[in-house]
Amino acid sequence: MFELKKKLAAFAAVTALAVGLPVTAGAQDQIKVGILSHDTGPFAQNGQGFHRGIEVYQALHGKSAGGREIEFVYRDIGGPNPAVGKRLAEELIVREKVQILGGFALSSEALAVGPIVEQTKTPAITFIASSPSVLAGSQYFLKSGQHIAQSSSAGATFARKQGAEKCYIVVSDYQPGYDAQKAFRKTFESEGGQIVGEVRVPLNTVDFAAIVEGIASTETDCINVFVPPGAPAIGLLRALAERGLVESNFVVGMGEAEDHILPQYDDSVVGFKGALYYAEALDNEENKTFIAKLKELYGPDTQPDFASASAYDGAHLIYEMVKSQEGKDWSGPDAVEAVKGLSWNGVRGPMKIDPETRELVQNIYLREVQKVDGKLQNAIVDQLEAVEAPSKEWMEN
């Protein structure tokens, strides 16, 4: 009899999914949140950050909000695979009956899940996926990371503020790389700079000798990079340093040299700059509390990164949605509507959800790798406040 009831419940859920009805849990006193993560594979560092950011938030704020218990359920995509991400999202909604989705390290996975989110009216928070096209995939998507052009355009503005005139762009050959390249170029040129060269490289490139020789033969005072952290970023920055280009140019990227991966670098990374929405060195109470609890839970040598910070701020957004439904039957669409325009102080500083675009308005910081008392660390050397995401028309033209 029990098995029959389980099958009937599963059938009802699948039917609801098929006809576009919201799938709701029977228990109104609990909200389940499905997290699509990378706990294994090349992006496992991000998955670890997702777990830690959420667990730190629950340790500081409890496991309930708005009169409901909040339970997080994790699924491991295991590597870049949008089809697996889509299958796991269906499983979380139909079998686990989650009412909210979160996670999403890669934009391709968020785009694959978009039709499911839209059909089931399930709120979904992308922690890192930052392609401009993600929010267009469903009206129920929100972000706790960034629009990629916020940091890329800020990098161009920082370069111009430092007097850079001629810049060379190196990006990975995939959609986020194209978006970062376009945003940097448009901003740098609109502010009076000149792009003297651009190159796209395969994601797994680690030998940049030929590319750096090409840059060295060009008259530049600025180099913009967007490559994955780890071996590709280390290979590129080391090659630039060996040709003296880190010292002679304003070299700016995004998350290539996070504090927790600096021990993987040698001194060739000193002077590298990254424009991003989070930095461990941020001097605000929320960030201090976040880092203190992170070290308490995972050890004194544990360092935060943009993945754990985004998950922490994403958990706050989830809690605010749940609070908005206190005393009511759960409604995903109403929960999303309730947080449009929401402002709060996150670990990155002031944050606001633009009520029209659902993009975040947030500060972007310029970090510079410095060596202090023999240790490599990022210092904040400049910032742009309340940076808005560019419009769809700006990105397309």
Side-chain angles (χ1 to χ4, degrees):
M1 180 62 74
F2 179 69
E3 284 300 315
L4 178 59
K5 286 182 178 178
K6 285 176 59 179
K7 290 179 180 178
L8 287 173
F11 176 77
V14 171
T15 302
L17 180 64
V19 299
L21 296 175
V23 181
T24 58
Q28 282 291 317
D29 58 352
Q30 183 187 58
I31 295 294
K32 296 181 75 173
V33 183
I35 300 297
L36 290 171
S37 183
H38 286 262
D39 301 328
T40 57
F43 299 102
Q45 184 70 43
N46 292 333
Q48 182 185 68
F50 288 179
H51 282 264
R52 290 180 172 180
I54 291 168
E55 288 163 6
V56 168
Y57 191 88
Q58 289 206 297
L60 289 171
H61 299 280
K63 295 187 177 181
S64 64
R68 290 178 164 110
E69 179 189 355
I70 299 177
E71 179 187 357
F72 287 89
V73 182
Y74 296 86
R75 289 292 183 274
D76 176 21
I77 297 175
N81 195 328
V84 172
K86 181 180 178 182
R87 176 176 60 76
L88 293 175
E90 291 174 341
E91 177 185 311
L92 284 165
I93 292 174
V94 174
R95 294 185 183 174
E96 294 289 344
K97 298 180 174 59
V98 303
Q99 292 100 329
I100 301 172
L101 288 175
F104 302 99
L106 304 177
S107 296
S108 57
E109 293 156 3
L111 292 171
V113 174
I116 301 170
V117 168
E118 182 66 18
Q119 188 180 31
T120 60
K121 302 180 181 179
T122 303
I125 317 298
T126 67
F127 294 168
I128 295 180
S130 57
S131 170
S133 57
V134 167
L135 294 192
S138 171
Q139 61 188 307
Y140 305 112
F141 269 132
L142 297 165
K143 288 181 179 175
S144 64
Q146 66 166 348
H147 181 302
I148 198 167
Q150 288 177 302
S151 290
S152 192
S153 291
T157 297
F158 288 132
R160 290 292 295 142
K161 285 177 69 176
Q162 294 298 314
E165 298 284 347
K166 298 180 178 180
C167 202
Y168 201 107
I169 302 176
V170 182
V171 300
S172 291
D173 191 5
Y174 72 136
Q175 189 59 50
Y178 310 156
D179 294 331
Q181 176 184 13
K182 186 173 187 178
F184 186 94
R185 183 199 315 119
K186 287 193 67 169
T187 303
F188 195 74
E189 290 180 338
S190 71
E191 296 182 4
Q194 179 186 359
I195 301 300
V196 296
E198 300 176 73
V199 63
R200 294 174 176 175
V201 298
L203 267 172
N204 59 354
T205 300
V206 294
D207 183 356
F208 289 89
I211 291 168
V212 168
E213 283 304 313
I215 297 173
S217 66
T218 307
E219 184 180 348
T220 66
D221 53 19
C222 163
I223 301 169
N224 171 235
V225 304
F226 182 80
V227 297
I234 293 171
L236 175 56
L237 294 180
R238 186 168 293 161
L240 290 170
E242 288 174 351
R243 293 290 280 117
L245 296 174
V246 174
E247 186 175 358
S248 62
N249 283 259
F250 185 92
V251 182
V252 60
M254 204 174 290
E256 289 82 1
E258 288 282 280
D259 284 280
H260 70 92
I261 55 177
L262 283 178
Q264 300 176 29
Y265 283 93
D266 55 26
D267 288 354
S268 63
V269 74
V270 173
F272 173 75
K273 299 168 183 63
L276 201 60
Y277 55 90
Y278 178 72
E280 181 179 354
L282 280 169
D283 186 19
N284 64 61
E285 289 305 315
E286 290 77 10
N287 194 41
K288 292 177 182 176
T289 303
F290 167 62
I291 293 173
K293 181 59 71 174
L294 185 74
K295 291 180 179 295
E296 177 186 323
L297 293 179
Y298 302 104
D301 295 330
T302 305
Q303 291 180 287
D305 60 1
F306 65 84
S308 56
S310 293
Y312 183 92
D313 287 331
H316 179 78
L317 194 49
I318 289 166
Y319 272 51
E320 289 299 310
M321 286 197 292
V322 176
K323 286 179 184 176
S324 75
Q325 301 299 292
E326 185 169 8
K328 306 173 185 176
D329 288 340
W330 172 257
S331 167
D334 288 350
V336 172
E337 196 64 31
V339 296
K340 290 180 180 177
L342 178 70
S343 299
W344 77 99
N345 288 320
V347 297
R348 73 194 70 178
M351 304 172 68
K352 178 182 179 181
I353 297 178
D354 186 311
E356 300 298 324
T357 66
R358 287 174 281 127
E359 295 280 0
L360 282 171
V361 181
Q362 58 188 333
N363 296 346
I364 300 296
Y365 305 96
L366 181 66
R367 303 106 45 98
E368 180 181 270
V369 179
Q370 301 175 353
K371 193 166 188 178
V372 179
D373 296 330
K375 181 183 178 183
L376 295 172
Q377 61 184 43
N378 276 292
I380 298 173
V381 296
D382 202 353
Q383 71 179 63
L384 299 178
E385 296 184 354
V387 177
E388 297 181 358
S391 67
K392 178 182 177 183
E393 291 72 24
W394 189 89
M395 288 300 299
E396 290 179 347
N397 296 321

